[in-house]
Amino acid sequence: MSKKKRNRHIKVTEMQSKDYSKYYLWIIKTGIVACLFLPLLIIPSHLYLMQVGRVIMFRIIIEIIAFFYILLIIKKPKYRPKWGIFEISISVFVLIFFITSITGVNFARSFWGTVDRMGGFFGFLHFWIYFVILISIFKTKKDWEKLFGISVFVAVISSFYAFGQSALFWRTILPWLETNNLYLYSFAEKFVTKENFITLNNWRPFGTIGNSGLFASYILFNLFFGLYLFFSKKKKFKKIIIFFLFSAVGGGILISGTRGAYLAVVGGLIIFTLLNTFFSSKKKVKVFTIGTLIVFVLLIGYVFSNKDSEFVKNNYVLTRLSSVSFGSGESRIWTWESSVQGLKNKTLLGYGPENYNVAFNRNFNPLHFKGYGFEAWYDRAHNIFFDIATTMGVIGLTSYLGIFIIIYLYLIKNRHRARENLPAFAMIFSLPVAYFVHNFFWFDDFSSYLMLFLFFAFVSTYFNEELKFVYNIEKGKNITESINNRLNLDVIKNLIINNKDIFLVLMGIFLIFTIYYANIKPWKFHKLTTTAVAAFEINAEDSFLWYKKAMESSTDLGKYEMYKHFGSYVVIYYDLKDSQNFQKRDEFKSNLKFSISEMEQAVSENDQDVRFYEILSALYNKYYRNFREIEYLEKAEVTLQKALELSPNRETIYHEYGQTMIFKKDYNKAIEFFQKGVELNSNVAVSHWYLGMAFINSGDLKNAKYEIEKAIELGYVYRNNINDILGITNIYIDIKDYAMLSSLYKDAIKLDPNNPQHYVSLAIVYKELGYKKLAKEMAEKAISLDESFSFEGQQFIESLN
């Protein structure tokens, strides 16, 4: 053997003798446990304080432990994952996720996702890595009992946080504390008066998740994990502890007020109970479960049959449960209809993950729109099946459902072995039912995905021989060995060992690059955007500076939200400011042009998103209103034409188009657009108001009066807007309705007390009504505010005599 080869052999032998596997393993397990605590992480300095921080932290943790996992499986082949048909089906779904991201309408959004949801392929890939590491490292029943125990413990903390948000809870507990413990009462009274903790009547507790429905989804998984632990433990002491944890988690679902979760719990528990009854060999267990099921069904029957009773009506939870109906979720049904229509256009591969909003807007149901300030921009179907079908097509939905079909085929095929681990068998069988029932009305987010892939990993391990439930171990081993052979892992292993330093350096560089550019940089970018949004509430001018700083550190993750929030806020801002009362006219013009240029960029990057077209057209109109440059009206018209192509049934586009036509003094065309808005949904007050104002501009005061009064009848609030008040005075001047005019000018004076013209107008109205004394007082007030009214004012006062 040559000296060179001998030295290389010695080097390889020395490297092989140093075994750091136990350290790698410790880091990986610690990272997984840390992930399970992430649903508790809240970052107040971010706009989506309960989402952004925990997702970015999850990605960083997964990237770090993936680094050590690669080192581990090179050294220890036993930690390499075993690939059966179930594991492959999950991997295929991840692959389809990526393919549909490429074929979708906006790859950047599909790949990176949006900040408010933190979805997208990049994030989803981390869940797949999380799954692979779980099935490779946690292989025994004891391992999974520990993981589920930690998860349930975290869910209990989140549930107690929800109790703190529940007004119902504190209304119950405070009187008891006042009677029994004044010290605790004093503390609790101060605690619950904080707005961040107490839930108002129209809110529902959301724990540490940020949304009551998503909170219920997260808790739902842990409810069944708790069931599994309860029936797995033999010692009564442990059963008692788990029962209290289980009860706390169940309480979290109850106070969430999520009716879909209630149905999910009912369905899942019935199946879990029946399976335990059918397969258990113990008579006591059968009697107990059958009795519990009967009592459970009777209680639910009582609630529904007595839903009009005072007992049910006065109980928040029972009221929510008894009001379950399709009628109570009609907006979801409209959304599902939009999904079906969208699926017809892109049947196979859909619009791409995170692009549901495009399908929704193309097939927008105008009944969604109730007026400005109401949510009419959906980015989810609120139904997992329609969500996946619309964004990933029939292929994606088939792949997704295939995962669960495989689970049930294995369970049914091996039902004769259920008694070997009945709690696991019952949990795996019942949990997907509860998950589907709940997600028939909801969708997945970070916390539910964290639990879903934890569940998938448990199923994978359960099908392995470690838990003595064999679906075809030899076949599974053959698949694994085949994959290992095809990848030539031993060859790769030797190649890495021989070039260890280079490999570690390259992996380290890649890890640092990914953590910084895919996580830390978006984190900073979003923090700047949050600061900019907050600045609008304090000093709008400072907000522009913060937005500019955010744009300088631009990143794909978060850019969509930055554009969305920036555009929405500047539209509101320019409604409050115009060149007539804005002291720094040049700065105002510069900021408006800057806003327009940014929205033009947003449109170019999101050319299928009608929301940006609508914002841009509003900014064009506002620029014309202030600076009268006709080219901006032409730009607004072109932008609105494109918006109508993308969403032909959205009323707000017709409203903006009508405004453009008014600026062009084409009143007949304006009436046509506003009339279309009314036809789409005749129950929207603001649509009638706009149409009425268009009739006023055209001189048709008769139709104007009808539309204005229809708007007021439907609840339009005009008395808080000086322009609305003055805009309709001509109607009542024409028909000489002085009582109404008196009311209008009084409201105008309340809003704008230093404008002498309002007092002049009211003085004239009082004269017509015969209130000479009041008319004289108003005329004198006008003169005191503006001496230029003196001559005409004195003549008016003399005319009263």
Side-chain angles (χ1 to χ4, degrees):
M1 183 182 293
S2 66
K3 184 177 180 181
K4 186 176 182 181
K5 287 184 178 181
R6 186 166 60 254
N7 289 338
R8 182 181 297 175
H9 177 73
I10 293 171
K11 185 177 180 182
V12 170
T13 304
E14 288 176 350
M15 289 179 64
Q16 289 176 338
S17 64
K18 294 180 180 179
D19 190 355
Y20 298 101
S21 300
K22 62 179 181 179
Y23 302 110
Y24 302 154
L25 201 58
W26 182 87
I27 292 171
I28 293 167
K29 288 184 175 181
T30 303
I32 292 295
V33 170
C35 288
L36 297 180
F37 276 91
L38 288 176
L40 301 179
L41 182 65
I42 298 174
I43 309 294
S45 60
H46 285 258
L47 194 61
Y48 302 102
L49 70 167
M50 292 184 175
Q51 187 78 333
V52 176
R54 64 184 59 159
V55 174
I56 288 181
M57 190 62 67
F58 171 74
R59 294 177 183 179
I60 292 173
I61 292 172
I62 294 299
E63 287 158 13
I64 291 173
I65 65 176
F67 173 84
F68 290 100
Y69 175 69
I70 291 172
L71 297 178
L72 178 66
I73 61 174
I74 291 170
K75 189 73 176 178
K76 298 288 185 179
K78 70 175 183 177
Y79 290 112
R80 296 170 189 171
K82 293 182 178 180
W83 296 97
I85 189 170
F86 175 67
E87 294 78 15
I88 291 173
S89 68
I90 293 174
S91 303
V92 167
F93 180 68
V94 176
L95 178 62
I96 292 173
F97 198 116
F98 178 67
I99 293 171
T100 53
S101 297
I102 296 173
T103 60
V105 297
N106 188 330
F107 174 72
R109 185 172 162 123
S110 290
F111 186 84
W112 292 108
T114 60
V115 173
D116 54 344
R117 302 298 184 195
M118 294 300 287
F121 175 76
F122 181 73
F124 201 74
L125 181 63
H126 285 71
F127 285 109
W128 179 78
I129 297 171
Y130 165 70
F131 165 77
V132 170
I133 293 173
L134 281 170
I135 65 175
S136 304
I137 304 300
F138 300 90
K139 297 183 177 182
T140 67
K141 185 177 180 181
K142 187 177 181 181
D143 286 339
W144 282 101
E145 287 181 354
K146 288 180 179 179
L147 286 179
F148 285 157
I150 293 169
S151 182
V152 172
F153 174 72
V154 173
V156 168
I157 297 174
S158 186
S159 295
F160 276 110
Y161 194 87
F163 294 151
Q165 295 166 330
S166 173
L168 173 70
F169 175 79
W170 288 110
R171 288 192 196 107
T172 303
I173 200 69
L174 282 177
W176 182 88
L177 285 175
E178 188 177 16
T179 303
N180 294 277
N181 194 317
L182 289 175
Y183 176 77
L184 286 177
Y185 170 77
S186 176
F187 172 78
E189 188 180 34
K190 292 178 181 179
F191 174 77
V192 299
T193 54
K194 295 181 180 180
E195 292 181 1
N196 288 339
F197 288 92
I198 194 163
T199 301
L200 303 179
N201 290 331
N202 60 332
W203 291 1
R204 303 204 310 272
F206 47 76
T208 59
I209 305 303
N211 177 289
S212 58
L214 299 176
F215 168 66
S217 182
Y218 167 69
I219 293 296
L220 187 66
F221 279 97
N222 285 283
L223 189 73
F224 283 87
F225 295 162
L227 271 177
Y228 165 74
L229 291 173
F230 180 81
F231 284 97
S232 294
K233 297 297 182 181
K234 304 297 182 184
K235 295 182 179 179
K236 288 185 178 181
F237 176 71
K238 291 183 177 180
K239 279 184 175 291
I240 292 171
I241 294 175
I242 294 168
F243 177 77
F244 279 110
L245 294 176
F246 174 83
S247 300
V249 171
I253 286 185
L254 287 176
I255 66 170
S256 74
T258 307
R259 289 170 289 200
Y262 292 168
L263 292 175
V265 170
V266 170
L269 287 182
I270 288 175
I271 292 174
F272 188 92
T273 304
L274 289 174
L275 289 171
N276 272 282
T277 302
F278 183 79
F279 286 106
S280 179
S281 57
K282 298 179 180 179
K283 188 176 180 180
K284 288 184 179 180
V285 173
K286 290 189 175 187
V287 172
F288 174 77
T289 52
I290 291 174
T292 303
L293 183 59
I294 291 172
V295 172
F296 189 60
V297 172
L298 289 175
L299 285 173
I300 294 172
Y302 173 81
V303 170
F304 276 94
S305 61
N306 293 275
K307 62 181 180 180
D308 295 324
S309 67
E310 291 300 316
F311 173 72
V312 174
K313 285 183 176 180
N314 293 331
N315 188 292
Y316 167 74
V317 173
L318 297 182
T319 301
R320 294 288 298 176
L321 177 61
S322 63
S323 61
V324 172
S325 69
F326 280 102
S328 63
E330 59 182 6
S331 63
R332 279 184 169 81
I333 297 174
W334 301 334
T335 309
W336 300 344
E337 290 171 351
S338 299
S339 304
V340 172
Q341 294 301 318
L343 186 59
K344 290 179 181 178
N345 297 328
K346 289 184 173 289
T347 306
L348 287 179
L349 296 173
Y351 289 80
E354 297 297 315
N355 289 315
Y356 177 80
N357 62 314
V358 176
F360 173 76
N361 288 321
R362 284 185 184 276
N363 304 280
F364 180 76
N365 188 323
L367 295 176
H368 277 293
F369 182 67
K370 307 294 184 184
Y372 292 93
F374 289 86
E375 177 60 52
W377 301 98
Y378 281 37
D379 63 351
R380 293 290 190 275
H382 289 75
N383 177 295
I384 193 67
F385 308 106
F386 286 124
D387 259 333
I388 294 175
T390 308
T391 58
M392 299 172 66
V394 172
I395 292 177
L397 181 61
T398 302
S399 174
Y400 172 76
L401 293 176
I403 296 170
F404 295 93
I405 291 171
I406 290 170
I407 290 175
Y408 283 109
L409 286 176
Y410 284 154
L411 292 175
I412 293 170
K413 181 181 178 182
N414 296 278
R415 60 190 179 278
H416 59 283
R417 303 182 67 90
R419 288 188 178 90
E420 294 180 10
N421 195 340
L422 184 53
F425 181 90
M427 192 266 279
I428 293 173
F429 205 106
S430 58
L431 178 52
V433 174
Y435 167 75
F436 280 138
V437 170
H438 177 67
N439 271 14
F440 192 82
F441 305 96
W442 281 94
F443 50 88
D444 283 315
D445 80 325
F446 166 74
S447 298
S448 61
Y449 271 140
L450 190 71
M451 296 296 100
L452 179 63
F453 279 87
L454 184 70
F455 171 71
F456 282 161
F458 175 72
V459 172
S460 173
T461 309
Y462 180 71
F463 289 156
N464 207 312
E465 75 179 319
E466 303 285 347
L467 288 179
K468 298 179 180 178
F469 191 92
V470 186
Y471 64 90
N472 191 334
I473 293 175
E474 292 305 320
K475 186 176 180 180
K477 286 182 177 178
N478 291 336
I479 294 174
T480 301
E481 290 172 2
S482 175
I483 292 174
N484 289 340
N485 291 334
R486 288 180 181 276
L487 292 176
N488 293 318
L489 289 181
D490 288 333
V491 174
I492 296 172
K493 173 184 173 181
N494 292 330
L495 181 65
I496 291 171
I497 289 175
N498 291 331
N499 300 276
K500 179 185 176 184
D501 294 337
I502 296 174
F503 175 73
L504 289 175
V505 169
L506 291 176
M507 280 189 62
I509 292 173
F510 179 76
L511 177 64
I512 294 170
F513 178 86
T514 303
I515 289 175
Y516 178 74
Y517 283 96
N519 297 293
I520 295 176
K521 192 175 180 183
W523 172 287
K524 291 180 177 179
F525 172 74
H526 186 253
K527 191 171 183 179
L528 287 171
T529 303
T530 302
T531 305
V533 170
F536 262 108
E537 305 296 331
I538 303 170
N539 186 336
E541 291 306 300
D542 288 343
S543 182
F544 283 99
L545 299 176
W546 284 109
Y547 271 116
K548 288 174 182 177
K549 286 183 180 180
M551 290 162 192
E552 290 171 1
S553 62
S554 182
T555 176
D556 285 324
L557 178 58
K559 188 182 289 186
Y560 179 87
E561 272 65 33
M562 184 271 293
Y563 283 139
K564 181 179 72 175
H565 289 293
F566 177 69
S568 300
Y569 274 93
V570 296
V571 166
I572 296 171
Y573 172 69
Y574 292 127
D575 280 336
L576 302 175
K577 298 279 188 179
D578 59 47
S579 60
Q580 301 305 313
N581 60 24
F582 196 78
Q583 295 178 353
K584 301 177 181 178
R585 180 179 172 84
D586 291 338
E587 186 176 350
F588 174 75
K589 186 174 184 178
S590 174
N591 284 339
L592 185 48
K593 277 193 170 183
F594 170 75
S595 305
I596 288 172
S597 68
E598 289 303 317
M599 284 303 104
E600 287 173 340
Q601 182 66 26
V603 165
S604 68
E605 293 177 9
N606 303 272
D607 61 352
Q608 299 296 307
D609 195 328
V610 71
R611 190 169 197 171
F612 292 124
Y613 286 93
E614 191 174 312
I615 293 172
L616 180 58
S617 63
L619 291 176
Y620 283 144
N621 277 336
K622 293 179 193 308
Y623 191 92
Y624 174 80
R625 183 188 69 192
N626 289 286
F627 302 105
R628 299 296 171 178
E629 295 180 23
I630 194 66
E631 65 179 287
Y632 284 89
L633 274 188
E634 295 169 353
K635 288 180 178 181
E637 194 167 358
V638 171
T639 304
L640 287 163
Q641 287 172 356
K642 179 62 177 177
L644 284 178
E645 292 175 14
L646 294 172
S647 187
N649 292 326
R650 187 174 279 280
E651 296 97 325
T652 51
I653 300 174
Y654 292 98
H655 294 168
E656 199 63 48
Y657 218 144
Q659 184 61 59
T660 304
M661 293 299 104
I662 286 177
F663 285 145
K664 294 182 75 172
K665 300 189 186 305
D666 189 344
Y667 300 121
N668 290 333
K669 199 71 174 175
I671 290 171
E672 182 183 325
F673 282 116
F674 287 128
Q675 183 71 57
K676 179 64 176 177
V678 170
E679 290 172 359
L680 287 169
N681 188 353
S682 61
N683 294 319
V684 178
V686 70
S687 296
H688 287 280
W689 182 269
Y690 287 155
L691 180 57
M693 298 302 289
F695 278 128
I696 290 174
N697 279 282
S698 71
D700 187 349
L701 298 181
K702 181 180 178 181
N703 280 319
K705 181 176 181 294
Y706 173 82
E707 294 299 334
I708 292 298
E709 291 181 349
K710 181 67 175 177
I712 295 172
E713 178 189 327
L714 290 171
Y716 185 80
V717 179
Y718 65 92
R719 294 183 180 276
N720 297 329
N721 188 310
I722 189 70
N723 293 323
D724 283 348
I725 293 170
L726 298 178
I728 63 174
T729 54
N730 283 341
I731 297 174
Y732 300 99
I733 290 172
D734 182 64
I735 62 175
K736 298 181 180 181
D737 186 343
Y738 297 115
M740 183 64 175
L741 285 168
S742 170
S743 176
L744 290 172
Y745 288 127
K746 285 179 182 177
D747 288 333
I749 288 171
K750 287 179 183 178
L751 296 173
D752 189 12
N754 296 318
N755 190 328
Q757 185 58 55
H758 302 331
Y759 296 95
V760 170
S761 299
L762 185 55
I764 295 170
V765 170
Y766 278 149
K767 179 182 177 181
E768 295 296 335
L769 289 170
Y771 303 148
K772 293 183 179 181
K773 183 179 180 181
L774 291 174
K776 180 182 178 181
E777 289 177 3
M778 292 300 104
E780 290 174 344
K781 181 65 176 178
I783 293 170
S784 69
L785 289 171
D786 189 343
E787 292 182 358
S788 65
F789 283 93
S790 295
F791 179 73
E792 292 181 354
Q794 289 299 331
Q795 285 187 322
F796 175 81
I797 291 172
E798 290 175 7
S799 72
L800 295 174
N801 299 324

